[in-house]
Amino acid sequence: MATSDSSLVKSQPKSSVSFLYDERVRNFFYQTLTAGTFAWLVWYLFTNTAHNLEVRGMNSGFGFLFQTAGFDTDFKLIEYTVGTGTYGRIFFVGVLNTLFVSVFAIVASTVIGFFMGVMRLSTNWLISRLALTYVEILRNVPLLIQIIFWYLGVFALLPKVKQSADFLGIAFLNNRGLYVPSAVPGDLFWMTMTAFVIAVVAAFMIRRWARRRQEQTGQQFPSFWAGLGVIVALPGVVYLATGMPLSWDIAALEGFNYQGGFALPPAFLALLVSLTIYHSAHMAEAVRAGILSVSKGQTEAANALGLRPGRVMRLVIIPQAMLAIVPPMISTWMNVVKNSSLAVAIGYSDVVALFMQTSLNQSGYAIEIVAITMLFYMTISLTISFFMNIYNKRVQLRER
């Protein structure tokens, strides 16, 4: 029997045995099986959802985006008129409002987070303990509670319109919001903006040239001040040459409220402050961990060369610490955008409040609206991750 079994194994074609045990064939089979299973699940969910919608008599599709939305919003960055504005238009209003507060919160939280992270490592006992208190309190209090606190406990208790806080006669703060001047560009202002873009590109080229020159000769060039001079001088000359085509509309008290200018509602201010201080606390810990990841020998070597503490931190420590800071910073930036959806709790007109709440309740296209909103947040998060990963690769240390 043993002889006959061995003869059967030997009698099998060698090519078929090797084909079945080929790793590439097995990988292709499992990948095809996985892709087919996923495609079937998607098809099943799609057809089942469509059937349920048809049974219940519910509409589906994206044609509702061109239908008129019968409601208004108290804060908008683009033109929107009740009675003619569509659901698609209100979606873009919410998107811009979300991005508006998110961009300011990202910039502010990053700056404050770097500052607090460096303070945490200060040799001054009082400064380091103040930074520690800031981080531990704000990082461990839920963001929603902070939003409600700033909205109800701070901005709602500001003075009334008649007793508004006056800032140099151009900005006014009261319980209805912050009123700041709004820019009114003239016909030739586009030339100034074009000059500004050209100046930014020129400053970038100067910086690249200065870095290449330093690597080749060891000589430093004040690229920061040179670039700043170009950015200020070139648009300034064009602005003056075109007759200063920019005016400012300053808010003025008329009747029971301020008219003119640009009004930022209390909900926006509360959300901005909450997002900034909450995420700056997380950013501070990332900065502190990144700085501590740099070997102490780097600091000692820089001090031995006679560099001042500020230049040691800026030229030696921070560039190396960025390797550890950038990955959590990417997550923090994405969290700022996603956590801005909590604005619905205080009535800020973001994409969730305007589109996924009010528009959904009026139109009834729940699946489509939720899917569009999810796609928006996913797109923003992937965009931030994509560009920051490019930056992360650029700051990585390379051996010569």
Side-chain angles (χ1 to χ4, degrees), residues 185-231:
D187 296 334
L188 298 178
F189 187 69
W190 65 270
M191 300 179 66
T192 302
M193 296 304 299
T194 303
F196 176 77
V197 174
I198 294 174
V200 171
V201 174
F204 177 75
M205 299 302 295
I206 291 174
R207 179 177 176 81
R208 291 192 61 181
W209 169 82
R211 180 179 298 176
R212 207 161 40 239
R213 176 174 177 263
Q214 183 177 353
E215 291 177 353
Q216 295 174 355
T217 65
Q219 298 178 356
Q220 293 185 353
F221 181 81
S223 58
F224 174 78
W225 296 109
L228 182 62
V230 172
I231 293 176

Side-chain angles (χ1 to χ4, degrees), residues 151-331:
Y151 182 69
L152 297 178
V154 178
F155 290 103
L157 302 179
L158 290 175
K160 297 181 179 179
V161 175
K162 295 290 186 179
Q163 294 82 32
S164 299
D166 189 339
F167 300 95
L168 302 177
I170 59 175
F172 308 93
L173 180 64
N174 54 56
N175 59 2
R176 295 187 181 180
L178 176 65
Y179 298 83
V180 296
S182 62
V184 183
D187 296 334
L188 298 178
F189 187 69
W190 65 270
M191 300 179 66
T192 302
M193 296 304 299
T194 303
F196 176 77
V197 174
I198 294 174
V200 171
V201 174
F204 177 75
M205 299 302 295
I206 291 174
R207 179 177 176 81
R208 291 192 61 181
W209 169 82
R211 180 179 298 176
R212 207 161 40 239
R213 176 174 177 263
Q214 183 177 353
E215 291 177 353
Q216 295 174 355
T217 65
Q219 298 178 356
Q220 293 185 353
F221 181 81
S223 58
F224 174 78
W225 296 109
L228 182 62
V230 172
I231 293 176
V232 173
L234 183 58
V237 170
V238 175
Y239 178 73
L240 295 175
T242 53
M244 297 185 292
L246 181 66
S247 58
W248 295 92
D249 181 19
I250 300 177
L253 182 60
E254 297 180 4
F256 297 101
N257 202 359
Y258 281 89
Q259 303 296 329
F262 185 70
L264 298 171
F268 170 85
L269 301 176
L271 182 63
L272 176 61
V273 173
S274 302
L275 290 175
T276 298
I277 61 176
Y278 177 78
H279 292 97
S280 67
H282 290 270
M283 183 72 71
E285 282 299 282
V287 172
R288 183 182 71 89
I291 293 175
L292 290 177
S293 68
V294 179
S295 173
K296 291 184 179 180
Q298 299 290 321
T299 304
E300 295 171 353
N303 292 331
L305 293 175
L307 294 178
R308 290 173 295 182
R311 294 179 66 86
V312 172
M313 182 64 68
R314 182 170 60 88
L315 300 177
V316 179
I317 304 302
I318 294 298
Q320 298 182 67
M322 290 301 294
L323 297 172
I325 294 174
V326 170
M329 185 171 67
I330 297 174
S331 299

Side-chain angles (χ1 to χ4, degrees), residues 3-330:
T3 305
S4 61
D5 291 342
S6 60
S7 62
L8 287 175
V9 174
K10 291 180 180 180
S11 65
Q12 293 181 358
K14 185 176 182 180
S15 59
S16 63
V17 175
S18 60
F19 177 79
L20 293 176
Y21 287 93
D22 190 338
E23 184 177 358
R24 292 173 299 178
V25 174
R26 287 186 295 174
N27 288 340
F28 176 78
F29 172 75
Y30 290 129
Q31 292 174 9
T32 304
L33 180 63
T34 303
T37 303
F38 177 76
W40 177 81
L41 287 175
V42 172
W43 174 83
Y44 175 77
L45 291 175
F46 178 80
T47 55
N48 187 54
T49 302
H51 174 71
N52 292 334
L53 291 175
E54 183 180 358
V55 170
R56 289 168 174 77
M58 299 175 63
N59 297 324
S60 61
F62 296 93
F64 75 97
L65 293 173
F66 303 98
Q67 298 176 5
T68 302
F71 64 94
D72 197 5
T73 174
D74 62 338
F75 183 68
K76 48 185 175 289
L77 299 174
I78 58 176
E79 188 65 29
Y80 173 80
T81 305
V82 182
T84 59
T86 62
Y87 287 112
R89 187 72 172 181
I90 205 68
F91 169 72
F92 284 109
V93 171
V95 165
L96 290 178
N97 289 351
T98 297
L99 296 179
F100 184 64
V101 68
S102 298
V103 169
F104 279 102
I106 286 174
V107 174
S109 62
T110 302
V111 174
I112 297 175
F114 265 86
F115 184 69
M116 287 295 172
V118 174
M119 285 179 58
R120 285 275 281 110
L121 300 174
S122 174
T123 56
N124 187 297
W125 183 87
L126 180 60
I127 292 178
S128 63
R129 289 301 180 271
L130 287 175
L132 174 63
T133 303
Y134 175 91
V135 170
E136 293 301 328
I137 291 178
L138 297 178
R139 188 179 60 162
N140 292 295
V141 176
L143 177 58
L144 181 59
I145 294 178
Q146 295 190 38
I147 292 175
I148 295 175
F149 166 77
W150 284 99
Y151 182 69
L152 297 178
V154 178
F155 290 103
L157 302 179
L158 290 175
K160 297 181 179 179
V161 175
K162 295 290 186 179
Q163 294 82 32
S164 299
D166 189 339
F167 300 95
L168 302 177
I170 59 175
F172 308 93
L173 180 64
N174 54 56
N175 59 2
R176 295 187 181 180
L178 176 65
Y179 298 83
V180 296
S182 62
V184 183
D187 296 334
L188 298 178
F189 187 69
W190 65 270
M191 300 179 66
T192 302
M193 296 304 299
T194 303
F196 176 77
V197 174
I198 294 174
V200 171
V201 174
F204 177 75
M205 299 302 295
I206 291 174
R207 179 177 176 81
R208 291 192 61 181
W209 169 82
R211 180 179 298 176
R212 207 161 40 239
R213 176 174 177 263
Q214 183 177 353
E215 291 177 353
Q216 295 174 355
T217 65
Q219 298 178 356
Q220 293 185 353
F221 181 81
S223 58
F224 174 78
W225 296 109
L228 182 62
V230 172
I231 293 176
V232 173
L234 183 58
V237 170
V238 175
Y239 178 73
L240 295 175
T242 53
M244 297 185 292
L246 181 66
S247 58
W248 295 92
D249 181 19
I250 300 177
L253 182 60
E254 297 180 4
F256 297 101
N257 202 359
Y258 281 89
Q259 303 296 329
F262 185 70
L264 298 171
F268 170 85
L269 301 176
L271 182 63
L272 176 61
V273 173
S274 302
L275 290 175
T276 298
I277 61 176
Y278 177 78
H279 292 97
S280 67
H282 290 270
M283 183 72 71
E285 282 299 282
V287 172
R288 183 182 71 89
I291 293 175
L292 290 177
S293 68
V294 179
S295 173
K296 291 184 179 180
Q298 299 290 321
T299 304
E300 295 171 353
N303 292 331
L305 293 175
L307 294 178
R308 290 173 295 182
R311 294 179 66 86
V312 172
M313 182 64 68
R314 182 170 60 88
L315 300 177
V316 179
I317 304 302
I318 294 298
Q320 298 182 67
M322 290 301 294
L323 297 172
I325 294 174
V326 170
M329 185 171 67
I330 297 174

Side-chain angles (χ1 to χ4, degrees), residues 345-362:
I346 56 175
Y348 177 66
S349 302
D350 72 327
V351 68
V352 173
L354 291 179
F355 194 64
M356 208 179 77
Q357 188 179 57
T358 308
S359 297
L360 189 152
N361 291 335
Q362 287 195 359

